[in-house]
Amino acid sequence: MLIKLTGGTVYDPASGIDGQQQDIYVQDGRIIDAPKDGRPVDKEYDLRGKVVMSGAIDMHTHIGGGKGNIARTLLPEDHRQDPVHRTPITRSGNGHAMPSTYVAGYRYAEMGYTACFEPAVLPINARQAHMEMGDTPIVDKGGYVMLGSDDFLLRMMTANKDQKAINDYVAWTLNAAKGIGIKVVNAGGINAFKFNQRKLDLDEKNSHYDVTPRQILQTLAKAVQELGITHPLHVHGCNLGVPGNLETTLNTIEGIDGLPMHLTHIQFHSYGKEGDFKFSSGAAQIAEAINNNKNITADVGQILFGQTVTASGDNMRQHANHRFASPNKWVCMDIECDAGCGVVPFKYKDQNFVNALQWAIGLEIFLLVEDPWRIFLTTDHPNGAPFTSYPHLIRLLMDRSFRNDMLATIHPEAQKMTTLASIEREYTLNEIAIMTRAGAARIIGLKDRGALSAGNWADITVYTENSDRQTMFTKPDYVFKDGELVVKDGEVVKVTWGTTHIVKPDYDLSIEKDLKPYFDKYLTMKLGNFKISDDEISEDGRGSLTAHPLRGAA
């Protein structure tokens, strides 16, 4: 079928198109050049007066893995109320903070999103994570595989294994767990927590393995670089949420020695200790460091006010924060020799000084980082806020007057501690398209997504132009996924199943000679069961696998 999208105002930064009116042709799921043979169009959509972008990509959202199920179980009350109308509901899965897999796919698609990436796939739990993502309809999926506190890596580093051996282990893990990148959560800290350490700074040694977080980050960043993985090492740094962690973050940037590194939910790592409350914004210093270090990218992890749940592999910090749980219940657990998990419900309040300043810090970072190709729109769903709050966040970035009106309502002392009111910048539609589409596709390594040029898959979102950007981005007119109309007027009209994006770096097969006895001695899962086969993801017809080339490969 030949589809023509006629006369839309296109924002396609990957192709250098900034608000130009043009036609788009789609055939067999992909965008094609305008036919020159006079073929008749099978279906035409008149998009004159509409805004056209590629499908949005959430490069960091917790939509798969054990912690999500724990959060759903811990908060049954979250599934008893419609999140929009606040009316009682009876169906399970409709949670506000952590909806079910099926509902998550619907809500993402209904906002114009066509791909989502789970940032914390624990290798030993990867099969379950992929099953959850495989049950999330319409959107493409992918995952960053967690390393950095796993016992095997720390043993290798303690034994002074060479970089090549560690690269083989990283590549083997990516292949076994079917990931597209490598994630580090509080490098070494999750493991240190098992040995009763309750904090671990960047240059503090793990008491059992005698290695520091800095050494772990440098080792894994080199592995990612040398293996040719496009997505930089995805780093959840030390001291999350701790006043003064600004210095840790700046030292982390400096200490990576110029290697590519992505700092995730950077808002939670940008705190000073100034002022009467010993809590202040470090956004200006963090933004300056990102601006000056082209090897660094970041997503923000914006907090927005209201009820949510924090779910993280960083059980060291989650244990420290459990006393703030709201409602007052929480879970913290170890997971074999690999990692941990903490789930703590939380309600952000605009009249709480710390929460209010956190809100301002995130916005300051968004507005002070100059290059939209290196900063990404996230709330660290659900940790800062549910992903359904993205349209509201986009309005805050695009509408200074609205932003300042909101600023005037928060805790008065927090207003005094932020420069937000003086920042004049307003994001443009092209910058939003970079941050949520083109830039996200580029940093993840998606070669044929995030753009509207010929050859790309036809993931396309159409909006009605509206000065109220929250309204505009809440309810698209049309969403096409792989060329099929899946959303019309903000409601799903067809269910499809997206692909799972992975990379397959090469490695020396002899790594398994060391891994097999380790698995047999220390883990409850055998080596053969640990590895996920390709057909496990695609065998039920709900999707496929797409392996992307490594950096520099054809």
Side-chain angles (χ1 to χ4, degrees):
M1 175 182 284
L2 178 61
I3 300 171
K4 181 182 180 183
L5 308 180
T6 304
T9 302
V10 175
Y11 292 86
D12 181 17
S15 306
I17 297 172
D18 182 2
Q20 299 172 24
Q21 190 177 55
Q22 66 177 49
D23 301 335
I24 297 173
Y25 292 85
V26 176
Q27 187 169 40
D28 298 329
R30 290 185 184 265
I31 298 169
I32 63 170
D33 290 321
K36 298 179 180 178
D37 55 6
R39 276 180 292 162
V41 172
D42 297 297
K43 178 71 174 177
E44 183 175 4
Y45 295 85
D46 185 352
L47 303 185
R48 283 171 290 189
K50 307 289 186 183
V51 170
V52 183
M53 298 181 180
S54 61
I57 299 167
D58 194 342
M59 56 90 65
H60 184 111
T61 176
H62 295 280
I63 59 167
K67 60 191 173 300
N69 281 331
I70 295 170
R72 296 181 190 108
T73 304
L74 187 66
L75 293 170
E77 63 271 27
D78 187 51
H79 296 258
R80 295 177 186 152
Q81 191 178 75
D82 181 275
V84 176
H85 302 102
R86 301 299 183 193
T87 55
I89 56 175
T90 56
R91 288 184 299 168
S92 64
N94 289 277
H96 171 61
M98 183 62 81
S100 68
T101 53
Y102 217 88
V103 172
Y106 267 55
R107 289 182 184 164
Y108 263 116
E110 288 170 349
M111 292 196 309
Y113 277 76
T114 55
C116 304
F117 289 83
E118 162 60 52
V121 176
L122 187 62
I124 205 164
N125 194 45
R127 181 172 284 103
Q128 188 269 344
H130 281 293
M131 290 176 71
E132 281 206 74
M133 290 190 286
D135 198 49
T136 303
I138 304 175
V139 295
D140 288 352
K141 282 80 63 173
Y144 315 137
V145 176
M146 276 179 63
L147 292 175
S149 275
D150 50 304
D151 179 67
F152 191 82
L153 173 69
L154 297 177
R155 287 170 181 264
M156 293 182 80
M157 292 185 65
T158 301
N160 293 316
K161 294 285 186 179
D162 62 27
Q163 186 68 45
K164 174 61 169 61
I166 290 174
N167 292 359
D168 286 334
Y169 172 57
V170 171
W172 178 87
T173 304
L174 264 174
N175 279 271
K178 295 290 182 284
I180 196 168
I182 295 295
K183 167 77 173 294
V184 177
V185 175
N186 190 359
I190 304 170
N191 179 277
F193 185 77
K194 300 172 191 286
F195 295 97
N196 291 319
Q197 285 178 266
R198 293 296 178 257
K199 67 176 186 66
L200 194 69
D201 212 342
L202 186 64
D203 292 304
E204 186 177 355
K205 290 184 176 180
N206 179 302
S207 62
H208 185 77
Y209 291 98
D210 204 37
V211 296
T212 68
R214 187 192 297 271
Q215 292 170 326
I216 294 168
L217 293 176
Q218 290 173 337
T219 299
L220 288 175
K222 287 178 184 176
V224 168
Q225 177 81 344
E226 292 177 7
L227 290 169
I229 299 163
T230 298
H231 187 53
L233 184 66
H234 196 99
V235 176
H236 162 142
C238 304
N239 294 327
L240 178 143
V242 177
N245 62 13
L246 160 69
E247 295 302 324
T248 303
T249 305
L250 294 175
N251 288 336
T252 301
I253 292 171
E254 181 182 359
I256 206 65
D257 296 333
L259 290 167
M261 180 172 62
H262 179 83
L263 295 173
T264 192
H265 42 66
I266 189 71
Q267 176 276 135
F268 288 106
H269 303 270
S270 303
Y271 304 152
K273 295 193 292 185
E274 305 300 320
D276 295 340
F277 295 90
K278 305 302 179 185
F279 183 77
S280 59
S281 172
Q285 297 96 312
I286 293 296
E288 182 182 16
I290 295 173
N291 291 335
N292 292 337
N293 291 273
K294 305 306 181 185
N295 59 309
I296 301 298
T297 56
D299 63 84
V300 172
Q302 178 69 36
I303 76 111
L304 295 164
F305 303 120
Q307 180 67 53
T308 191
V309 59
T310 62
S312 173
D314 193 348
N315 56 349
M316 176 182 277
R317 296 310 315 153
Q318 289 292 76
H319 179 265
N321 291 331
H322 77 266
R323 63 186 183 278
F324 303 117
S326 177
N328 188 18
K329 49 186 174 179
W330 58 281
V331 173
C332 199
M333 60 185 289
D334 284 330
I335 303 173
E336 297 233 357
C337 297
D338 270 9
C341 177
V343 177
V344 181
F346 196 84
K347 187 172 185 178
Y348 293 101
K349 301 175 181 178
D350 59 358
Q351 298 308 309
N352 175 288
F353 169 78
V354 171
N355 297 167
L357 192 53
Q358 287 177 301
W359 174 85
I361 290 168
L363 293 173
E364 286 177 329
I365 294 170
F366 269 121
L367 297 164
L368 293 174
V369 171
E370 296 165 355
D371 185 357
W373 291 91
R374 295 197 292 121
I375 193 79
F376 300 92
L377 187 141
T378 68
T379 59
D380 189 23
H381 164 78
N383 292 295
F387 65 80
T388 46
S389 61
Y390 287 170
H392 175 73
L393 175 54
I394 289 172
R395 185 179 181 189
L396 287 168
L397 296 176
M398 297 190 72
D399 187 339
R400 185 191 180 198
S401 176
F402 175 70
R403 184 168 69 234
N404 285 342
D405 287 345
M406 289 287 296
L407 175 62
T409 68
I410 68 172
H411 192 290
E413 294 302 317
Q415 294 181 43
K416 298 175 184 177
M417 296 290 287
T418 176
T419 62
L420 190 58
S422 66
I423 302 176
E424 297 183 358
R425 181 182 178 186
E426 294 178 319
Y427 269 69
T428 65
L429 282 172
N430 197 58
E431 288 175 322
I432 293 296
I434 292 170
M435 186 167 55
T436 60
R437 274 95 169 161
R442 186 170 77 176
I443 192 176
I444 298 168
L446 309 182
K447 303 301 182 184
D448 48 13
R449 311 275 175 176
L452 298 174
S453 53
N456 281 273
W457 284 100
D459 293 349
I460 304 169
T461 303
V462 179
Y463 304 98
T464 294
E465 173 70 43
N466 192 323
S467 59
D468 182 338
R469 300 308 191 184
Q470 183 169 341
T471 299
M472 174 177 167
F473 282 95
T474 295
K475 189 177 180 180
D477 295 77
Y478 303 107
V479 180
F480 296 87
K481 182 73 187 80
D482 297 334
E484 295 192 70
L485 180 64
V486 293
V487 171
K488 183 178 180 180
D489 296 328
E491 294 187 0
V492 171
V493 295
K494 183 172 183 178
V495 174
T496 61
W497 300 96
T499 194
T500 297
H501 298 280
I502 62 171
V503 289
K504 291 186 172 183
D506 291 332
Y507 60 92
D508 187 338
L509 295 174
S510 66
I511 185 71
E512 292 193 359
K513 292 180 180 179
D514 292 328
L515 281 164
K516 187 180 185 306
Y518 174 81
F519 269 73
D520 290 343
K521 184 173 183 180
Y522 294 109
L523 300 184
T524 59
M525 183 184 289
K526 297 301 181 184
L527 182 68
N529 293 344
F530 185 92
K531 295 186 289 185
I532 302 171
S533 63
D534 290 0
D535 59 7
E536 286 185 70
I537 293 177
S538 59
E539 63 185 353
D540 65 355
R542 289 188 172 189
S544 59
L545 276 173
T546 298
H548 291 274
L550 300 172
R551 193 173 1 88

